Amino acid sequence: MANLPPLSLHIPEPSARPGEQSGVAAVQLPEPGETRRPDTLAVEADMRDLPFGLIRVLDDQGVAVGPWIPSVSPDLLRHGLRSMMLTRIFDDRLFRAHRQGKTSFYMKSTGEEAIGAAQSMVLGGGDMCFPTYRVMSWLHARGYPLTEMVNQVFSNEKDPLKGRQLPILYSARAYGFYSLSGNVGSRFGHAVGWAMASAYKGDDKIALAYIGEGTTAEGDFHEALTFASVYHAPCILCVTNNQWAISSYSGIAGGDETTFAAKAIAYGIPGLRVDGNDFLAVWAATEWAAERARSNKGATLIELYTYRAAGHSTSDDPTKYRPADEPEAWPLGDPIERLKQHLITLREWDEDRHAMLADELDQLVRVAVKEAEAVGTLGKSKPPVSEMFEGVFKEPDWRVIEQRRELGV
Amino acid sequence: MPTMNMIRALNSALDVKLGQDPDTLIFGQDVGYFGGVFRVTDGLQKKHGLKRCFDAPISEGGIIATAIGMGAFGLRPIAEIQFADYILPALDQLVSEAARLRYRSNGEFWAPITVRSPYGGGIFGGQTHSQSPEAIFAHITGLKTVIPSNPYDAKGLLLAAIEDDDPVIVLEPKRLYNGPFDGRHDQTLETWAGVPEAEVPEGHYTVPLGKAAVVREGRQATVLAYGTMVHVAKAGIEESGVDAELLDLRSIVPLDIETIVASVTKTGRCVILHEASRFGGFGGELSALVQERCFWALKSPVQRVAGWDTPYPHAFEWDYFPGPGRLAAALRRAMED
Ligand SMILES: Cc1ncc(C[n+]2csc(CCOP(=O)(O)OP(=O)(O)O)c2C)c(N)n1
């Protein structure tokens, strides 16, 4: 043993840091159409190549190719495009509102809009999504009222969550959107439990959960997969791999060693790796997993391979830890541009309509922000202070009653 | 002597220790290249090397578990948990492992780990970036919990924590990172510049765990506080007009019971102030101790001023945060009885 070199501790590092050339453009990716599509009822053991492929439908010209082309009407595609554009415009506007001191915090999902938009359209009204803070396109695609969203971000008197939650940590049951919380990962298992309950009741609803690739390190991720595997829970478990967890690149979550989709193999459930910036690919993979879940074949793990094009939140400056050109260098492009291109190649869209739509959405967001501002921004307006004490328990106990009295509300 | 804000003082403690002891290392979410979301580890990776200060996966249970393993091997790991709210996923590792390793192995293994974590509110952080979980740790035999209120103490207590052979949690009042804050949120922001406790030596020194500081001497009542609330208490005492003695506990385990008993025995009145919600909070333990040990000296019932028994609500930050007005009212009540 003495002749061995001494052990050394491995600390992973990304390919490039600020001032260096980003390595993302050189990442080796399967071609559009290359990754095969098994039958939705296929045996998991026969699909263990899929976590190392990449489901891609749109090619560089915006043409749909390969076995995963979903059948989606042009109207639905246009709705998807509109939802993604709305999400981006809304995000940009509310991010600026934070800079103007109108709220305490905001997070954008720039570059990741295809995920929530496509998946919310594939799943049914009774299905439940267990979101992260970066899938707001789910709500936009389902038409959640914009003014209410801004009211929540401003924590004002008309905030539907009564000022109790941080901006964008929405809850919207009627839109199939489970309550968000600031601690990451902890709702992943709720989705599995929700799906188990649906199966227990002989219902037809399925669940869909999101977790960031960084957060797959939490026990919650592995626990949820175990339960989903054991009980064949009818759910779709999604890892949004946007390459960065605040300042930590995906290697800090084990991404240098294997793919996130490949985690499924150890649990004996199918793992799909999907181009998350390709609306059609996200659609097709979700439809596949939903059909499998509804056929009582249990859970699927989907890695949505994407890129966090903006900072982590209003508190973050990504140029401090990653090359400034990296978002531009991302090889899978912008999901909005790509779906737009596709619709144009189908002759279902053109630049003029696109520009008109952008103006229309901009106007909608402007009006919503104006309406919310009229109610008030953070600190200028808030729900009645008594709301602080409501909802701790279904019925308030003596502590809450006494403390309300002490505060005089 | 240089003036340091609390972030720089903590950074200086870590820098000193990494320089002195090759068996110390720092890890936690975003602490490496980036230097931590609050910048406390800024520059340390560059100066001391990749393996002395590095990023950890988003797994608080994993961070504490591996820290314990490193500590058992013989290192002195310093783990950062990004917000004290997120210590909770690691609770079992702290409670059943770090706190008991020495006891159950009859001293064969122990966990000389330090867990640093920003805690407390006042920054509009909402329910999961504002909590004060110190009472949970205080309840666990085998864990020490330290809460500084100024840059000088922050550096000295952190160095003492790192050098301690038992697990120590250092809760850093994030609202005090850049300046003192007395709860008067509508006034202009203060910095640490010119504050005597922000004069921090560059080199090594420690502030012992378990020694309270008498921040203000007084005759009529004793106020017990720690962290951000020390500054709130100063303002509240002034507002009340009561000649109160203010103790900054600095560490809640070990607890400086002698200084507490001496003060309350002298003043005969006691008001406890903490930001955490009231029911089952650390104020309950303090109140019981004072009642048990100073009963015959007490002229009025012990009072507790604390956060309400609700989660920390975003829009109602200042309705929740126990400010100087509430302390002043409690002091006046204590005087009436
Ligand atoms: C339990 C817990 N630990 C730490 C944090 C602090 N935190 C907030 S977001 C984040 C990064 C999450 O990264 P990822 O899961 O990749 O999602 P992304 O933000 O990239 O979408 C961290 C560490 C938290 N909110 N909750």
Side-chain angles (χ1 to χ4, degrees):
Chain A
M1 299 283 264
N3 64 338
L4 290 175
L7 296 168
S8 66
L9 184 62
H10 172 67
I11 315 276
E13 284 197 282
S15 61
R17 287 296 190 183
E20 297 168 347
Q21 189 86 40
S22 171
V24 294
V27 178
Q28 289 299 314
L29 297 171
E31 293 298 316
E34 185 183 318
T35 298
R36 71 189 180 95
R37 182 186 188 281
D39 189 79
T40 52
L41 302 181
V43 178
E44 181 276 330
D46 296 338
M47 310 183 218
R48 292 187 184 158
D49 53 321
L50 290 177
F52 304 99
L54 188 68
I55 298 168
R56 301 177 63 183
V57 173
L58 292 173
D59 70 10
D60 291 346
Q61 279 70 50
V63 178
V65 296
W68 285 90
I69 302 175
S71 128
V72 194
S73 72
D75 276 344
L76 286 179
L77 290 179
R78 277 187 293 261
H79 182 73
L81 181 68
R82 180 184 194 280
S83 309
M84 293 196 284
M85 291 167 69
L86 177 58
T87 305
R88 189 165 300 175
I89 291 167
F90 186 89
D91 277 357
D92 287 341
R93 184 67 194 74
L94 273 288
F95 193 91
R96 284 205 303 280
H98 169 269
R99 291 295 188 249
Q100 294 159 351
K102 292 173 186 165
T103 188
S104 57
F105 184 72
Y106 196 76
M107 299 174 100
K108 307 208 279 189
S109 49
T110 314
E112 302 176 49
E113 296 93 342
I115 295 167
Q119 296 195 306
S120 75
M121 291 171 71
V122 171
L123 262 64
D127 298 327
M128 186 63 75
C129 136
F130 294 73
T132 62
Y133 43 68
R134 232 181 278 286
V135 291
M136 296 315 165
S137 54
W138 179 288
L139 287 176
H140 288 299
R142 291 198 170 187
Y144 190 87
L146 295 179
T147 308
E148 269 186 52
M149 256 170 134
V150 186
N151 287 336
Q152 197 280 337
V153 172
F154 289 169
S155 270
N156 66 18
E157 197 185 336
K158 294 210 171 141
D159 170 2
L161 302 181
K162 308 295 180 198
R164 297 190 196 124
Q165 259 299 30
L166 205 62
I168 76 158
L169 299 185
Y170 309 113
S171 179
R173 187 169 185 145
Y175 297 80
F177 193 90
Y178 192 69
S179 160
L180 267 164
S181 175
N183 39 340
V184 294
S186 43
R187 278 79 55 209
F188 213 57
H190 299 195
V192 177
W194 202 93
M196 286 166 64
S198 179
Y200 170 89
K201 294 287 272 182
D203 209 324
D204 59 2
K205 300 179 178 68
I206 63 171
L208 183 148
Y210 293 103
I211 199 165
E213 92 289 344
T215 308
T216 62
E218 293 281 7
D220 303 273
F221 174 70
H222 304 274
E223 290 153 9
L225 281 167
T226 301
F227 279 71
S229 164
V230 168
Y231 297 110
H232 294 192
C235 58
I236 307 173
L237 300 174
C238 300
V239 178
T240 52
N241 176 7
N242 65 8
Q243 315 302 320
W244 290 93
I246 311 185
S247 75
S248 298
Y249 85 113
S250 60
I252 298 295
D256 286 352
E257 315 299 328
T258 187
T259 70
F260 292 95
K263 310 273 174 177
I265 295 171
Y267 298 96
I269 66 175
L272 307 179
R273 194 155 165 266
V274 180
D275 177 355
N277 291 14
D278 177 340
F279 185 88
L280 293 184
V282 177
W283 185 294
T286 309
E287 213 165 43
W288 187 95
E291 193 179 309
R292 190 173 168 91
R294 291 193 211 281
S295 318
N296 254 317
K297 292 285 177 190
T300 299
L301 180 68
I302 299 181
E303 173 183 349
L304 296 150
Y305 194 70
T306 181
Y307 188 82
R308 196 197 76 206
H312 172 73
S313 71
T314 42
S315 319
D316 184 41
D317 173 7
T319 63
K320 289 224 155 68
Y321 51 78
R322 69 183 191 191
D325 70 341
E326 199 176 276
E328 289 299 308
W330 181 247
L332 295 172
D334 175 340
I336 295 179
E337 283 304 312
R338 289 175 66 193
L339 185 56
K340 170 187 163 196
Q341 194 55 41
H342 177 61
L343 276 163
I344 291 174
T345 58
L346 293 179
R347 299 181 191 288
E348 293 287 348
W349 199 240
D350 57 49
E351 293 290 352
D352 287 347
R353 288 173 77 182
H354 194 82
M356 264 166 56
L357 177 59
D359 284 346
E360 179 202 324
L361 296 175
D362 201 60
Q363 201 49 37
L364 282 181
V365 172
R366 249 171 230 285
V367 169
V369 171
K370 278 246 151 55
E371 281 175 4
E373 280 174 356
V375 180
T377 56
L378 180 66
K380 305 246 160 56
S381 158
K382 64 185 174 188
V385 178
S386 58
E387 286 294 351
M388 173 166 68
F389 295 105
E390 298 288 349
V392 177
F393 295 109
K394 191 172 171 199
E395 304 295 340
D397 78 354
W398 60 266
R399 296 173 293 175
V400 172
I401 294 167
E402 284 188 11
Q403 290 175 9
R404 260 184 82 157
R405 205 176 298 140
E406 192 180 335
L407 192 58
V409 293
Chain B
M1 218 182 290
T3 298
M4 297 189 193
N5 65 21
M6 197 181 282
I7 294 168
R8 266 199 65 205
L10 291 161
N11 181 275
S12 169
L14 296 169
D15 184 28
V16 165
K17 208 63 218 171
L18 288 182
Q20 278 182 347
D21 182 355
D23 285 344
T24 53
L25 61 86
I26 298 167
F27 70 125
Q29 292 154 21
D30 302 291
V31 305
Y33 182 89
F34 183 51
V37 297
F38 289 103
R39 321 302 304 144
V40 172
T41 56
D42 191 24
L44 296 179
Q45 182 182 79
K46 194 160 186 214
K47 178 166 174 190
H48 296 278
L50 188 60
K51 69 175 193 183
R52 303 297 304 286
C53 180
F54 55 88
D55 290 339
I58 303 174
S59 166
E60 291 75 16
I63 290 170
I64 303 302
T66 51
I68 294 169
M70 292 177 196
F73 186 94
L75 301 183
R76 280 187 190 278
I78 304 153
E80 174 177 307
I81 300 293
Q82 202 163 82
F83 287 87
D85 313 70
Y86 306 139
I87 297 179
L88 299 180
L91 201 59
D92 189 49
Q93 285 299 327
L94 288 168
V95 173
S96 312
E97 298 300 329
R100 294 190 201 151
L101 190 57
R102 180 190 297 284
Y103 186 80
R104 72 170 190 240
S105 70
N106 193 28
E108 281 191 353
F109 299 97
W110 63 98
I113 69 171
T114 303
V115 180
R116 294 183 33 248
S117 197
Y119 90 98
I123 62 152
F124 278 93
Q127 297 179 18
T128 56
H129 304 91
S130 305
Q131 294 169 89
S132 300
E134 70 276 7
I136 299 174
F137 310 132
H139 184 61
I140 305 306
T141 318
L143 290 180
K144 297 181 179 177
T145 299
V146 172
I147 309 178
S149 70
N150 61 61
Y152 181 89
D153 285 357
K155 178 170 176 182
L157 288 168
L158 178 55
L159 280 164
I162 297 167
E163 289 163 15
D164 197 280
D165 287 333
D166 287 310
V168 185
I169 297 169
V170 181
L171 294 177
E172 302 167 0
K174 64 174 97 70
R175 180 62 215 230
L176 301 185
Y177 271 153
N178 291 304
F181 177 64
D182 65 9
R184 294 188 176 124
H185 54 91
D186 40 8
Q187 298 189 359
T188 48
L189 287 180
E190 284 176 63
T191 69
W192 284 108
V195 179
E197 293 81 22
E199 305 271 292
V200 179
E202 297 272 15
H204 179 277
Y205 69 95
T206 57
V207 171
L209 310 187
K211 277 306 294 165
V214 181
V215 176
R216 180 190 194 282
E217 295 201 15
R219 291 172 297 107
Q220 291 178 299
T222 299
V223 176
L224 304 179
Y226 44 86
T228 312
M229 288 298 128
V230 171
H231 302 268
V232 173
K234 275 191 225 168
I237 290 169
E238 245 169 63
E239 189 175 322
S240 72
V242 175
D243 181 23
E245 183 145 296
L246 170 58
L247 304 191
D248 175 356
L249 300 183
R250 297 203 283 201
S251 78
I252 61 170
V253 178
L255 182 68
D256 187 353
I257 189 69
E258 276 175 32
T259 304
I260 295 171
V261 168
S263 177
V264 178
T265 306
K266 179 177 84 177
T267 62
R269 293 182 177 86
C270 181
V271 179
I272 298 156
L273 174 62
H274 61 60
E275 194 182 330
S277 54
R278 173 178 155 124
F279 192 88
F282 190 63
E285 181 61 38
L286 289 171
S287 171
L289 284 166
V290 166
Q291 192 272 152
E292 284 161 6
R293 294 177 188 229
C294 309
F295 183 78
W296 300 108
L298 284 174
K299 297 175 195 145
S300 66
V302 177
Q303 309 248 0
R304 284 184 288 161
V305 177
W308 309 115
D309 287 311
T310 75
Y312 216 117
H314 181 252
F316 310 110
E317 185 91 21
W318 305 123
D319 304 294
Y320 182 92
F321 188 95
R326 285 184 56 207
L327 178 72
L331 274 168
R332 283 190 222 105
R333 264 198 316 275
M335 295 310 296
E336 279 163 19
D337 284 316

